[in-house]
Amino acid sequence: MYNKTLSYADMIIENVSRFPEPEKMQPYVLQAYFAKGLTYFQLAKFWGEVPIKRGATYDLEKLPKSTIPEVLEVATDYALKALDLPKFEELKDYTGTARPQKQYGSKGAAAALLAHLYAWRAAIEEKPEYWAEAEKYCTMIIEGETGYYELATDPEKVCTEVMLRNSG
């Protein structure tokens, strides 16, 4: 699953220049960046040292494992690129059609990923300066810079709506 995600994202990133109007593909490139950032973060959390692939074609048996800090750095680089995504409520495809489904990455999702990444890196890599970075991205979300987000008002709503993916 993770390797397919990375391969599909690389396919988009590497082939965007082949389209007659590559700028119209930018929403998909930003989604690919988000997917790669999230995927590498998950790989680092679940498996630690993993190969970092470079491009859509690869042979995993020939790729060396990268250190956890290297994997987290790659995840952070892609998450930072994904920060150029629009706010959730402004997501559109290349034709201008709204994309209100939560399956798509957004500026808020990228900021949340960065907050989580930096907090994790601060603990794992023992770099206290990353706590400030985590706080910066949390603050962006709290202050509405990345779109409109609201916490559930009580624990019951968390159980009856949020956990069932029925929240706004």
Side-chain angles (χ1 to χ4, degrees), residues 51 58-64:
Y58 62 96
D59 183 353
L60 280 179
E61 292 180 16
K62 294 182 181 178
L63 290 176

Side-chain angles (χ1 to χ4, degrees), residues 15-71:
N15 288 294
V16 72
S17 63
R18 297 174 66 198
F19 287 84
E21 298 178 68
E23 64 280 353
K24 286 189 176 182
M25 296 303 294
Q26 193 61 15
Y28 302 102
V29 171
L30 293 172
Q31 291 294 329
Y33 290 153
F34 180 76
K36 287 188 76 160
L38 180 60
T39 300
Y40 276 118
F41 183 40
Q42 294 292 79
L43 286 169
K45 286 189 339 184
F46 295 143
W47 285 283
E49 296 177 341
V50 297
I52 296 173
K53 55 188 277 341
R54 309 277 186 220
T57 57
Y58 62 96
D59 183 353
L60 280 179
E61 292 180 16
K62 294 182 181 178
L63 290 176
K65 288 182 182 178
S66 298
T67 66
I68 295 171
E70 289 171 331
V71 178

Side-chain angles (χ1 to χ4, degrees), residues 138-151:
C138 287
T139 301
M140 285 175 66
I141 296 167
I142 292 166
E143 292 181 354
E145 295 173 37
T146 62
Y148 177 75
Y149 296 93
E150 170 180 296
L151 295 175

